[in-house]
Amino acid sequence: MVLAQSPKKGVGTWYFVSVNRAVVDVNVSWYYTWQPHTSQIGRPPDVEFVPMIWDETYVNAEQLDLAKKNGSVLLGFNEPDKRVQANMTVQQALHLWPQLMATGLRLGSPAPAGNPSLPGSWLERFMDGVRARGYRVDFMAVHWYGASFRVDESVRGLQNFLHAVYRKFRLPIWLTEYSLVRWNAPPVYPDWKLQADFAAKSVKLLETLGFVERYAWYSLPPKTKDIRESTALYDENGDPTPVGIAYRRAGLKAGLFSLKR
């Protein structure tokens, strides 16, 4: 049977030794690096690169030109509501937003760490400012991490979250980071089998939600040296983890590309 990757399915990645092999192998249609450039990662045929302007330090002519050269869609600021991430006030983001609009690229909202559907959230206040100023946001970028390691409960939680965000903003959604992890110090991860089960079932859900345009698992490579403590789809050698195998197989549709091993 001939199958093709879903046009929705993507992945967040940074450079590692075997990244080019992994990006091809994982059966995604797009990827991003949290940068306006590919971070020395190859651009396989039929896999789109999506640039990002991570924080205010990237809002300059050089970085915005890189974004325009490298993609047709632009992701906004990364977790501006979090001190260790972009760490921006709503007013700072609104002040800089016209420069992102001026690229002419299709433009995603900043992606907050907190739940944007809650009253008074960072993203709610940002979107209020966007509407008041007549600015442009073409889709909502959001993050979701499941702290419950009960798979079906987490899938329902993800579904409820996405529906709440859509009801609030009424714009298409890109889920640009997601997986199961408790962001404690240190982070806590479920075992491979459970994470793999969640990857498969979450993709099945995301493919059915018409208002979800795209989604990206976090992440392609391991964040730590201990591969067992990770949401990684691939190890440093470019070999799939159990989660990578599940994500690679998920969301495939009838089409032109052959299913990998």
Side-chain angles (χ1 to χ4, degrees), residues 166-197:
Y166 184 68
R167 283 194 300 268
K168 191 176 194 73
F169 299 108
R170 294 293 173 180
L171 284 172
I173 292 174
W174 284 33
L175 177 63
T176 52
E177 288 186 22
Y178 89 103
S179 63
L180 295 185
V181 55
R182 296 176 189 146
W183 288 116
N184 301 337
V188 178
Y189 303 92
D191 62 38
W192 286 125
K193 184 178 183 302
L194 194 153
Q195 189 84 269
D197 190 22

mmCIF file of all heavy atoms in Angstrom, residues 166-197:
data_model
loop_
_atom_site.group_PDB
_atom_site.id
_atom_site.type_symbol
_atom_site.label_atom_id
_atom_site.label_comp_id
_atom_site.label_asym_id
_atom_site.label_seq_id
_atom_site.Cartn_x
_atom_site.Cartn_y
_atom_site.Cartn_z
ATOM 1 N N TYR A 166 -10.025 27.425 20.374
ATOM 2 C CA TYR A 166 -10.735 27.788 19.146
ATOM 3 C C TYR A 166 -12.002 28.588 19.452
ATOM 4 O O TYR A 166 -12.303 29.576 18.767
ATOM 5 C CB TYR A 166 -11.088 26.542 18.335
ATOM 6 C CG TYR A 166 -11.743 26.888 17.020
ATOM 7 C CD1 TYR A 166 -11.023 27.527 16.011
ATOM 8 C CD2 TYR A 166 -13.089 26.609 16.803
ATOM 9 C CE1 TYR A 166 -11.620 27.875 14.808
ATOM 10 C CE2 TYR A 166 -13.692 26.953 15.605
ATOM 11 C CZ TYR A 166 -12.958 27.583 14.613
ATOM 12 O OH TYR A 166 -13.564 27.944 13.435
ATOM 13 N N ARG A 167 -12.729 28.181 20.468
ATOM 14 C CA ARG A 167 -13.931 28.935 20.842
ATOM 15 C C ARG A 167 -13.583 30.373 21.213
ATOM 16 O O ARG A 167 -14.347 31.298 20.938
ATOM 17 C CB ARG A 167 -14.643 28.257 22.014
ATOM 18 C CG ARG A 167 -15.441 27.025 21.646
ATOM 19 C CD ARG A 167 -16.380 26.622 22.755
ATOM 20 N NE ARG A 167 -15.675 26.325 24.000
ATOM 21 C CZ ARG A 167 -15.259 25.116 24.347
ATOM 22 N NH1 ARG A 167 -15.449 24.083 23.537
ATOM 23 N NH2 ARG A 167 -14.630 24.931 25.495
ATOM 24 N N LYS A 168 -12.432 30.561 21.846
ATOM 25 C CA LYS A 168 -12.049 31.890 22.320
ATOM 26 C C LYS A 168 -11.604 32.809 21.179
ATOM 27 O O LYS A 168 -11.991 33.988 21.128
ATOM 28 C CB LYS A 168 -10.916 31.773 23.337
ATOM 29 C CG LYS A 168 -10.614 33.069 24.090
ATOM 30 C CD LYS A 168 -9.561 32.832 25.137
ATOM 31 C CE LYS A 168 -9.470 33.972 26.125
ATOM 32 N NZ LYS A 168 -10.593 34.020 27.060
ATOM 33 N N PHE A 169 -10.795 32.297 20.261
ATOM 34 C CA PHE A 169 -10.164 33.156 19.262
ATOM 35 C C PHE A 169 -10.729 33.018 17.847
ATOM 36 O O PHE A 169 -10.530 33.909 17.021
ATOM 37 C CB PHE A 169 -8.654 32.913 19.249
ATOM 38 C CG PHE A 169 -7.982 33.212 20.549
ATOM 39 C CD1 PHE A 169 -7.504 32.192 21.367
ATOM 40 C CD2 PHE A 169 -7.846 34.520 20.986
ATOM 41 C CE1 PHE A 169 -6.885 32.471 22.579
ATOM 42 C CE2 PHE A 169 -7.227 34.817 22.194
ATOM 43 C CZ PHE A 169 -6.753 33.791 22.998
ATOM 44 N N ARG A 170 -11.363 31.911 17.545
ATOM 45 C CA ARG A 170 -11.992 31.689 16.246
ATOM 46 C C ARG A 170 -11.033 31.882 15.077
ATOM 47 O O ARG A 170 -11.367 32.453 14.048
ATOM 48 C CB ARG A 170 -13.213 32.603 16.081
ATOM 49 C CG ARG A 170 -14.350 32.280 17.033
ATOM 50 C CD ARG A 170 -14.952 30.918 16.715
ATOM 51 N NE ARG A 170 -15.950 30.501 17.713
ATOM 52 C CZ ARG A 170 -16.631 29.344 17.668
ATOM 53 N NH1 ARG A 170 -16.394 28.499 16.660
ATOM 54 N NH2 ARG A 170 -17.483 29.027 18.602
ATOM 55 N N LEU A 171 -9.825 31.406 15.271
ATOM 56 C CA LEU A 171 -8.834 31.378 14.205
ATOM 57 C C LEU A 171 -8.255 29.967 14.116
ATOM 58 O O LEU A 171 -8.274 29.220 15.106
ATOM 59 C CB LEU A 171 -7.704 32.375 14.493
ATOM 60 C CG LEU A 171 -8.013 33.856 14.261
ATOM 61 C CD1 LEU A 171 -6.856 34.716 14.774
ATOM 62 C CD2 LEU A 171 -8.277 34.148 12.796
ATOM 63 N N PRO A 172 -7.725 29.581 12.956
ATOM 64 C CA PRO A 172 -7.064 28.267 12.850
ATOM 65 C C PRO A 172 -5.959 28.134 13.887
ATOM 66 O O PRO A 172 -5.362 29.133 14.315
ATOM 67 C CB PRO A 172 -6.497 28.258 11.431
ATOM 68 C CG PRO A 172 -7.271 29.298 10.695
ATOM 69 C CD PRO A 172 -7.657 30.341 11.692
ATOM 70 N N ILE A 173 -5.671 26.895 14.274
ATOM 71 C CA ILE A 173 -4.688 26.631 15.333
ATOM 72 C C ILE A 173 -3.524 25.822 14.780
ATOM 73 O O ILE A 173 -3.702 24.854 14.038
ATOM 74 C CB ILE A 173 -5.342 25.872 16.503
ATOM 75 C CG1 ILE A 173 -6.359 26.781 17.221
ATOM 76 C CG2 ILE A 173 -4.293 25.362 17.491
ATOM 77 C CD1 ILE A 173 -7.155 26.066 18.292
ATOM 78 N N TRP A 174 -2.315 26.237 15.177
ATOM 79 C CA TRP A 174 -1.115 25.412 15.032
ATOM 80 C C TRP A 174 -0.664 25.034 16.441
ATOM 81 O O TRP A 174 -0.357 25.907 17.255
ATOM 82 C CB TRP A 174 0.000 26.179 14.345
ATOM 83 C CG TRP A 174 -0.154 26.354 12.874
ATOM 84 C CD1 TRP A 174 -1.307 26.491 12.155
ATOM 85 C CD2 TRP A 174 0.920 26.456 11.921
ATOM 86 N NE1 TRP A 174 -1.037 26.672 10.831
ATOM 87 C CE2 TRP A 174 0.332 26.657 10.662
ATOM 88 C CE3 TRP A 174 2.304 26.410 12.026
ATOM 89 C CZ2 TRP A 174 1.092 26.799 9.498
ATOM 90 C CZ3 TRP A 174 3.069 26.554 10.871
ATOM 91 C CH2 TRP A 174 2.462 26.733 9.625
ATOM 92 N N LEU A 175 -0.612 23.750 16.705
ATOM 93 C CA LEU A 175 -0.093 23.239 17.978
ATOM 94 C C LEU A 175 1.400 22.992 17.774
ATOM 95 O O LEU A 175 1.813 21.945 17.280
ATOM 96 C CB LEU A 175 -0.830 21.949 18.351
ATOM 97 C CG LEU A 175 -0.395 21.227 19.613
ATOM 98 C CD1 LEU A 175 -0.630 22.081 20.856
ATOM 99 C CD2 LEU A 175 -1.129 19.886 19.727
ATOM 100 N N THR A 176 2.220 23.963 18.138
ATOM 101 C CA THR A 176 3.627 23.930 17.729
ATOM 102 C C THR A 176 4.567 23.232 18.709
ATOM 103 O O THR A 176 5.746 23.035 18.389
ATOM 104 C CB THR A 176 4.146 25.349 17.451
ATOM 105 O OG1 THR A 176 3.860 26.195 18.568
ATOM 106 C CG2 THR A 176 3.476 25.926 16.207
ATOM 107 N N GLU A 177 4.078 22.893 19.896
ATOM 108 C CA GLU A 177 4.816 22.012 20.819
ATOM 109 C C GLU A 177 3.790 21.193 21.574
ATOM 110 O O GLU A 177 2.821 21.741 22.102
ATOM 111 C CB GLU A 177 5.635 22.802 21.843
ATOM 112 C CG GLU A 177 6.858 23.514 21.317
ATOM 113 C CD GLU A 177 7.675 24.150 22.451
ATOM 114 O OE1 GLU A 177 7.546 23.703 23.622
ATOM 115 O OE2 GLU A 177 8.420 25.102 22.170
ATOM 116 N N TYR A 178 4.046 19.877 21.652
ATOM 117 C CA TYR A 178 3.202 19.062 22.530
ATOM 118 C C TYR A 178 3.853 17.707 22.771
ATOM 119 O O TYR A 178 4.625 17.211 21.943
ATOM 120 C CB TYR A 178 1.787 18.923 21.970
ATOM 121 C CG TYR A 178 1.542 17.758 21.031
ATOM 122 C CD1 TYR A 178 0.869 16.622 21.471
ATOM 123 C CD2 TYR A 178 1.973 17.797 19.702
ATOM 124 C CE1 TYR A 178 0.623 15.563 20.607
ATOM 125 C CE2 TYR A 178 1.734 16.749 18.843
ATOM 126 C CZ TYR A 178 1.054 15.622 19.310
ATOM 127 O OH TYR A 178 0.825 14.566 18.461
ATOM 128 N N SER A 179 3.536 17.128 23.902
ATOM 129 C CA SER A 179 3.931 15.769 24.284
ATOM 130 C C SER A 179 3.482 15.577 25.729
ATOM 131 O O SER A 179 2.817 16.449 26.301
ATOM 132 C CB SER A 179 5.449 15.544 24.151
ATOM 133 O OG SER A 179 6.156 16.395 25.016
ATOM 134 N N LEU A 180 3.852 14.465 26.327
ATOM 135 C CA LEU A 180 3.577 14.231 27.742
ATOM 136 C C LEU A 180 4.844 14.473 28.544
ATOM 137 O O LEU A 180 5.862 13.819 28.331
ATOM 138 C CB LEU A 180 3.097 12.793 27.982
ATOM 139 C CG LEU A 180 1.767 12.376 27.359
ATOM 140 C CD1 LEU A 180 1.399 10.967 27.800
ATOM 141 C CD2 LEU A 180 0.660 13.357 27.703
ATOM 142 N N VAL A 181 4.795 15.428 29.440
ATOM 143 C CA VAL A 181 5.927 15.701 30.332
ATOM 144 C C VAL A 181 5.433 16.602 31.460
ATOM 145 O O VAL A 181 4.602 17.484 31.242
ATOM 146 C CB VAL A 181 7.110 16.363 29.577
ATOM 147 C CG1 VAL A 181 6.669 17.620 28.863
ATOM 148 C CG2 VAL A 181 8.277 16.650 30.506
ATOM 149 N N ARG A 182 5.922 16.351 32.641
ATOM 150 C CA ARG A 182 5.673 17.250 33.770
ATOM 151 C C ARG A 182 6.917 18.115 33.919
ATOM 152 O O ARG A 182 8.001 17.610 34.227
ATOM 153 C CB ARG A 182 5.419 16.443 35.049
ATOM 154 C CG ARG A 182 4.174 15.580 34.983
ATOM 155 C CD ARG A 182 4.008 14.723 36.231
ATOM 156 N NE ARG A 182 2.931 13.760 36.067
ATOM 157 C CZ ARG A 182 2.912 12.547 36.582
ATOM 158 N NH1 ARG A 182 3.937 12.144 37.349
ATOM 159 N NH2 ARG A 182 1.894 11.732 36.377
ATOM 160 N N TRP A 183 6.740 19.413 33.725
ATOM 161 C CA TRP A 183 7.891 20.312 33.745
ATOM 162 C C TRP A 183 8.254 20.679 35.179
ATOM 163 O O TRP A 183 8.170 21.825 35.586
ATOM 164 C CB TRP A 183 7.619 21.560 32.912
ATOM 165 C CG TRP A 183 7.608 21.309 31.440
ATOM 166 C CD1 TRP A 183 6.556 21.439 30.586
ATOM 167 C CD2 TRP A 183 8.707 20.868 30.635
ATOM 168 N NE1 TRP A 183 6.933 21.110 29.311
ATOM 169 C CE2 TRP A 183 8.250 20.763 29.305
ATOM 170 C CE3 TRP A 183 10.049 20.549 30.916
ATOM 171 C CZ2 TRP A 183 9.069 20.359 28.253
ATOM 172 C CZ3 TRP A 183 10.861 20.138 29.872
ATOM 173 C CH2 TRP A 183 10.376 20.044 28.561
ATOM 174 N N ASN A 184 8.655 19.663 35.926
ATOM 175 C CA ASN A 184 9.188 19.876 37.269
ATOM 176 C C ASN A 184 10.678 20.182 37.165
ATOM 177 O O ASN A 184 11.205 20.385 36.082
ATOM 178 C CB ASN A 184 8.970 18.630 38.140
ATOM 179 C CG ASN A 184 7.500 18.263 38.257
ATOM 180 O OD1 ASN A 184 6.623 19.105 38.077
ATOM 181 N ND2 ASN A 184 7.222 17.005 38.555
ATOM 182 N N ALA A 185 11.352 20.215 38.286
ATOM 183 C CA ALA A 185 12.806 20.401 38.292
ATOM 184 C C ALA A 185 13.435 19.223 39.039
ATOM 185 O O ALA A 185 13.512 19.261 40.260
ATOM 186 C CB ALA A 185 13.178 21.723 38.954
ATOM 187 N N PRO A 186 13.886 18.166 38.359
ATOM 188 C CA PRO A 186 13.943 18.023 36.910
ATOM 189 C C PRO A 186 12.597 17.569 36.318
ATOM 190 O O PRO A 186 11.721 17.135 37.061
ATOM 191 C CB PRO A 186 15.008 16.936 36.725
ATOM 192 C CG PRO A 186 14.839 16.073 37.931
ATOM 193 C CD PRO A 186 14.497 17.001 39.062
ATOM 194 N N PRO A 187 12.450 17.632 34.979
ATOM 195 C CA PRO A 187 11.219 17.163 34.333
ATOM 196 C C PRO A 187 10.987 15.671 34.567
ATOM 197 O O PRO A 187 11.930 14.904 34.779
ATOM 198 C CB PRO A 187 11.468 17.447 32.848
ATOM 199 C CG PRO A 187 12.534 18.476 32.828
ATOM 200 C CD PRO A 187 13.398 18.207 34.016
ATOM 201 N N VAL A 188 9.709 15.288 34.522
ATOM 202 C CA VAL A 188 9.313 13.888 34.694
ATOM 203 C C VAL A 188 8.644 13.423 33.405
ATOM 204 O O VAL A 188 7.756 14.106 32.881
ATOM 205 C CB VAL A 188 8.340 13.731 35.876
ATOM 206 C CG1 VAL A 188 7.891 12.274 36.019
ATOM 207 C CG2 VAL A 188 8.987 14.227 37.166
ATOM 208 N N TYR A 189 9.073 12.260 32.911
ATOM 209 C CA TYR A 189 8.553 11.737 31.651
ATOM 210 C C TYR A 189 7.891 10.382 31.887
ATOM 211 O O TYR A 189 8.322 9.610 32.746
ATOM 212 C CB TYR A 189 9.684 11.546 30.642
ATOM 213 C CG TYR A 189 10.472 12.796 30.359
ATOM 214 C CD1 TYR A 189 11.617 13.103 31.095
ATOM 215 C CD2 TYR A 189 10.079 13.675 29.358
ATOM 216 C CE1 TYR A 189 12.346 14.256 30.832
ATOM 217 C CE2 TYR A 189 10.805 14.831 29.098
ATOM 218 C CZ TYR A 189 11.934 15.118 29.830
ATOM 219 O OH TYR A 189 12.650 16.253 29.582
ATOM 220 N N PRO A 190 6.867 10.047 31.095
ATOM 221 C CA PRO A 190 6.330 8.689 31.158
ATOM 222 C C PRO A 190 7.270 7.704 30.483
ATOM 223 O O PRO A 190 8.236 8.110 29.833
ATOM 224 C CB PRO A 190 5.014 8.814 30.381
ATOM 225 C CG PRO A 190 5.272 9.894 29.391
ATOM 226 C CD PRO A 190 6.181 10.873 30.089
ATOM 227 N N ASP A 191 6.978 6.414 30.608
ATOM 228 C CA ASP A 191 7.832 5.439 29.928
ATOM 229 C C ASP A 191 7.564 5.472 28.428
ATOM 230 O O ASP A 191 6.595 6.055 27.941
ATOM 231 C CB ASP A 191 7.651 4.041 30.522
ATOM 232 C CG ASP A 191 6.232 3.492 30.359
ATOM 233 O OD1 ASP A 191 5.601 3.718 29.295
ATOM 234 O OD2 ASP A 191 5.741 2.835 31.290
ATOM 235 N N TRP A 192 8.453 4.826 27.685
ATOM 236 C CA TRP A 192 8.369 4.872 26.224
ATOM 237 C C TRP A 192 7.041 4.347 25.706
ATOM 238 O O TRP A 192 6.459 4.915 24.774
ATOM 239 C CB TRP A 192 9.491 4.039 25.615
ATOM 240 C CG TRP A 192 10.857 4.626 25.667
ATOM 241 C CD1 TRP A 192 11.971 4.045 26.205
ATOM 242 C CD2 TRP A 192 11.302 5.892 25.142
ATOM 243 N NE1 TRP A 192 13.065 4.854 26.056
ATOM 244 C CE2 TRP A 192 12.688 5.999 25.406
ATOM 245 C CE3 TRP A 192 10.664 6.937 24.493
ATOM 246 C CZ2 TRP A 192 13.439 7.112 25.026
ATOM 247 C CZ3 TRP A 192 11.406 8.047 24.120
ATOM 248 C CH2 TRP A 192 12.768 8.127 24.385
ATOM 249 N N LYS A 193 6.572 3.240 26.280
ATOM 250 C CA LYS A 193 5.335 2.623 25.775
ATOM 251 C C LYS A 193 4.158 3.573 25.911
ATOM 252 O O LYS A 193 3.355 3.743 24.981
ATOM 253 C CB LYS A 193 5.065 1.313 26.523
ATOM 254 C CG LYS A 193 3.854 0.547 26.022
ATOM 255 C CD LYS A 193 3.682 -0.764 26.772
ATOM 256 C CE LYS A 193 2.506 -1.564 26.207
ATOM 257 N NZ LYS A 193 1.224 -0.815 26.258
ATOM 258 N N LEU A 194 4.064 4.215 27.059
ATOM 259 C CA LEU A 194 2.953 5.133 27.291
ATOM 260 C C LEU A 194 3.060 6.351 26.371
ATOM 261 O O LEU A 194 2.066 6.770 25.762
ATOM 262 C CB LEU A 194 2.951 5.546 28.761
ATOM 263 C CG LEU A 194 1.700 6.228 29.311
ATOM 264 C CD1 LEU A 194 1.571 5.968 30.810
ATOM 265 C CD2 LEU A 194 1.727 7.728 29.059
ATOM 266 N N GLN A 195 4.255 6.918 26.249
ATOM 267 C CA GLN A 195 4.433 8.085 25.376
ATOM 268 C C GLN A 195 4.138 7.728 23.919
ATOM 269 O O GLN A 195 3.539 8.522 23.189
ATOM 270 C CB GLN A 195 5.857 8.619 25.510
ATOM 271 C CG GLN A 195 6.138 9.940 24.824
ATOM 272 C CD GLN A 195 5.746 11.143 25.643
ATOM 273 O OE1 GLN A 195 4.620 11.619 25.513
ATOM 274 N NE2 GLN A 195 6.646 11.641 26.479
ATOM 275 N N ALA A 196 4.539 6.538 23.506
ATOM 276 C CA ALA A 196 4.283 6.108 22.133
ATOM 277 C C ALA A 196 2.786 5.938 21.892
ATOM 278 O O ALA A 196 2.267 6.316 20.827
ATOM 279 C CB ALA A 196 5.018 4.797 21.848
ATOM 280 N N ASP A 197 2.081 5.389 22.863
ATOM 281 C CA ASP A 197 0.631 5.224 22.751
ATOM 282 C C ASP A 197 -0.040 6.587 22.635
ATOM 283 O O ASP A 197 -0.942 6.799 21.819
ATOM 284 C CB ASP A 197 0.119 4.461 23.979
ATOM 285 C CG ASP A 197 -1.341 4.031 23.829
ATOM 286 O OD1 ASP A 197 -1.837 3.942 22.687
ATOM 287 O OD2 ASP A 197 -1.989 3.789 24.864
#
